[in-house]
Amino acid sequence: MSSVERVVMMPNRALTLVTPAKALPEERSSEDPSPLLPVLFIGGIAFLGAVTFATTIAACLALRNTGVMAPW
């Protein structure tokens, strides 16, 4: 018996697709006191990574032009 036949055979039973949620309390005490702190922390790490990457490229180019590194 397929599922379509089972639904058709039960016409009196209402299909409940979504159950109503319980009401949430108005006051929420678990709010983060400083919501931007994680953003600033990760932004600082990304900034240090970008500066390190740019400094590495500049150092490689400077060493290449001085003759310390073999030319490319």
Side-chain angles (χ1 to χ4, degrees), residues 1-2 11 16 23 26-27 30-31 33 36 43 46-47 49 61-62 68-69 71:
M1 183 181 273
S2 72
T16 307
E26 292 292 326
E27 200 172 312
S30 64
E31 290 185 15
L36 287 179
F47 178 73
L61 289 175
V68 174
M69 292 176 63

Side-chain angles (χ1 to χ4, degrees), residues 4-72:
V4 174
E5 292 173 356
R6 279 185 270 159
V7 172
V8 171
M9 291 175 63
M10 296 183 280
N12 295 335
R13 184 176 175 194
L15 294 176
T16 307
L17 299 177
V18 178
T19 57
K22 295 179 181 178
L24 294 175
E26 292 292 326
E27 200 172 312
R28 294 180 72 178
S29 62
S30 64
E31 290 185 15
D32 192 7
S34 56
L36 287 179
L37 188 62
V39 174
L40 295 175
F41 185 72
I42 298 300
I45 292 174
F47 178 73
L48 288 176
V51 168
T52 302
F53 181 71
T55 305
T56 303
I57 291 176
C60 285
L61 289 175
L63 289 174
R64 179 179 164 232
N65 287 336
T66 59
V68 174
M69 292 176 63
W72 292 337

